[in-house]
Amino acid sequence: MEEDPAPPSETSTRRSKRTRAQAQTTENRPSKANGTGAENRDRASEASDQVERESSPEDDFEDAPHKTKRNRASDGTSALALKSTDQSLIEVIKGNGKLIPQVVKHWVERYEKDPKPAMVELLMMLFEACGAKYHIKGEYLDETDVDDVVVALVNLARRGEVEDYQNSKRKEYKNFKDNLELFWDNLIRESQHGPLFDQVLFDKCMDYIIALSCTPPRVYRQVASLMGLQLVTSFITVAKMLGSQRETTRRQLDAEKKKRNEGPRVESLNKRLSMTHENITVLEEMMRKIFTGLFVHRYRDIDPNIRTSCIQSLGAWILSYPSLFLQDLYLKYLGWTLNDKNAGVRKASVLALQNLYEADDNVPTLSLFTERFSNRMIELADDIDVSVAVCAIGLVKQLLRHQLIPDDDLGPLYDLLIDDPPEIRQAIGALVYDHLISQKFSTSQADSKGDDSSSSEVHLGRMLQILREFSTDPILSIYVIDDVWEYMKAMKDWKCIISMLLDENPLIELTDEDATNLVRLLCASVKKAVGERIVPATDNRKQHYPKAQKEIFENNRRDITVAMVKNYPLLLRKFMADRAKMPSLVEIILQMNLELYSLKRQEQNFKNVLQLMKEAFFKHGEKEALRSCVRAISFCSTESQGELQDFARNQLKELEDELIAKLKAAIKEVADGDDEYSLLVNLKRLYELQLSRAVPIESLYDDIVMVLTRFRNMEDEVVSFLLLNMYLHLAWCLHSIVNSETVSEASLSSLLSKRTTFFEQLQYFLNTFAEGEKVGKNGNQLGCRVCTILAEAWFLFRKTNYSSTKLERLGYCPEASILQKFWKLCEQQLNISDETEDEEVNKEYVEETNRDAVMIAAAKLVAGDAVPKEYLGPEIISHFVMHGTGVAEIVKHLITVLKKKDHDLSNIFLEALKRAFHRYMAELSLSEDEPLSSKSFLECKELATRLSGTFMGAARNKHRSDILKIVKEGIEYAFVDAPKQLSFLEGAVLHFVSKLPTPDVLDIIKDVQKRAENVNTDEDPSGWRPYHTFVDSLREKYAKNEGFQEEKEGASVRRRGRPPKRRNIEGKRLFDEHSSSEEDSISASDREDAQEEEEEEDAPLIRSVRPSSKLRSLRLSKDENKGRTRTGDSGRARDNVAASTSGASS
């Protein structure tokens, strides 16, 4: 009873402060004796503004021009005030947020006059914000028990009498969440001089908010959590302001004590200091109450949005009010939620920690937390969610900046430089640059304090140290360069890089390995500077740049050309014989502005460059060097202008003539019995040249045929390039005929004659392989070449291209016997394991001579209607599951093409299944293994599964006739020689039956049983076992479907969903006095309470399991079994069901 007078005293205090503020404003002369600080002046100015708003317009006669404006403002304010008084609190929150400050001000005034009705109004708003309409009578407010009210509200939710405003899609509620937060923030700010500390109003509100946050209905928990978290945020705002006032008062008191003044002034300051401290203490107690009653349960709610809000709020609290929250008692929740199964929660926790580590003053207090959770922070850099991983990398940068983690822990992070998502690679690139190259985080930086060139050389030297780890794989080196390029200015210092390569006053002595890496870096950096991609994009879309960006690229192109124009010949001459450096160095000219050679009068340097490239072409015989030289010389012959273009074209013509002469000489050497090496190298050069342009080798064609015919024992690689060059010559001849306006009979006859000769040579090798003879040392490579070249030639001359045209004579389709030999050779190549390939085989063109290339060539024939699909189509599809994912993807695309063309899929699929079954029967006759467990039978079953899986969803109805045809003809085939082929029912037909509707299944059961009516199956029980298994499976499916139909019919009159659990809610307390059981330190046992299994009526808590590692497209230098982030780790978030908890303690 002694506490009853408290509210009036607080109110009177508030009014007296307003009066003092008004008096001070009127006098406009603050007293030095009072020693008011900036906060008091701000409050005085706010009060002054308030006085001006509340004063009558007639008081301002002196300033006539402003009278009309003030009248308008006053009228507008009066209109808002009038409108706000007509609306209830919840209507204002659901509607116009601009009215909230005025509404809150009026409500506080009503509360000060008569607390109970105002409090009832506020509580009703609180309930309605949760979506429930519940009324409390003012006279019974003190006697009303919180638990009883909350139980009634839960019952309303169970009856469905609740509306969800927060998650509503309706336009009028789009600002509901923001308005609700704004309302509570305004209410606390407006109440800070009175009701906030009366220990009645907000205690009652917090009781209801905490109780509602622990109830089963999700909407209650969402809205109550939102309000509770906002209360703490607003309490912190007021507490910080009071803390500032407390410091000001303490300084004033210390000053008075130094003067040794005793009297009313000191007594007043002591009283004010004591009151301010008590108010801060009250606010902190209210914060703790909400934290222990609401936060400690809702941060592991089943709803990820609630968990995210909790962690975001906690991060803001710690940052803005470290005196209370910056301690392990609260920090540990951020550490625990780093393991949350939801990516949004993990990201919120990482961002909160990132903000904390940004403030240097926080770091000492975070030492124990860092020691406990730093490993998890580093692990999150490899999180399965890209956005979380990027944020975690930023957090690791903060840890490095404060030197909180050793360099030894960063090894796994550097592996992410070659990861798939570009966002992660870029983030790691920034970390690598800051930590290893610029060494921003190092206490003793070794950067030279000289000019920019010296700094660039130092940075480039450190970059070369990193690239040494990837020297064996140029592709990985390019990835690393791409990651760091954006942050490292030294990579754009062209003069510095060129100077280092030419050994002009180097600070760092380059090894051959470093020089190779620096050349790669120069080439990649040049490409990046002009907008080229150096790493393949995941979407393969063409890049589009704005005009300003294109101008930057052109300026970079100009700078590169200016830097290279005199030094380029020097670099080419220095590294002419180096096959590792030459390809990258030659390609730089593709990014240069050739026009500048004329403008800068550097024509001789341009000619020198071309002559050096031509010399390099004949000096090297490797694929990369040859291809780079051809591209560069062709670019110069098309992109240069005037005299320089003529010179470039002459150089290209001279190169062709010299190559043809070298080839003739090499053929003569072989004919004379000399070595084949010169012929092989020049054939490679001709092949690379013919890939880009037509080369006149008519005089060489007969010589090539002569060599192939006379010397059958040549190396397979030589034979392969002879055939390749013949094919490319035919392709260019055909291209010339097709694109010419008039076609001469002589050119057509010449092409047909060459084609006949070419096919004769290919068929010879086809027959040789078909007879099982071994050709050369590496028959596998030659076999692949024969398959791919033959398929490409058939596709090039397919009849569908030339039918009903003047060139119809060019159409060609192979005979059935040739096609069968072709596929037999393809099968031989497909069955060769990658592990058994000869190590001595040249891997230079390996992508052109593997099983994928063979399957692509064969599938191309079927997809392009170059050969009859009835034979080759089923053969290819029968290998769907036999040779790994690469071949499987090719077959999958072929099936998609056949579906689009509306081919007879049923026959093709059935024939494919028969071919797979024939392989099983052949294996069965030679093997003693269990029949149904053999590899070929399992492959047949897997093939049936994959083929039947193409009929999913709506495709079942569309292709029902095809499925039915496969099933019926499959059954017919299985009973041809019963019981020998009955396992075809189980291995192939059964998987298609599951795609049929129930009536068809019943017909199939009758048909199969009818076929076995007059047969005694007991004579051969093992032979007829597949039949019984098939029938039993069909019956089971039919019974299930029948039961499902009955269930569907019955479900139409039953209530959907699971029945609600009955709980005796009245018999359990939903709210009680709260006590914190939180520990004061971080330990391994802190999460034991979070590991308990809890129930949730809304939905079951399902723990999602994600893959333990990501597939990588590149070879990684880390362990294959490195674990990815496991999102269902020890930080699982769960919901506390209030009906099974007593109070809010853990």
Side-chain angles (χ1 to χ4, degrees), residues 380-404:
L380 281 174
D382 200 14
D383 193 86
I384 197 166
D385 185 271
V386 174
S387 63
V388 176
V390 171
C391 294
I393 293 166
L395 177 58
V396 172
K397 284 177 65 177
Q398 294 287 354
L399 297 178
L400 285 172
R401 183 168 69 89
H402 298 295
Q403 299 181 3
L404 296 174

Side-chain angles (χ1 to χ4, degrees), residues 1122-1138:
K1122 176 186 174 187
R1124 300 289 292 177
T1125 296
R1126 301 179 186 276
T1127 56
D1129 215 354
S1130 60
R1132 294 181 297 171
R1134 292 183 177 83
D1135 181 34
N1136 256 349
V1137 180

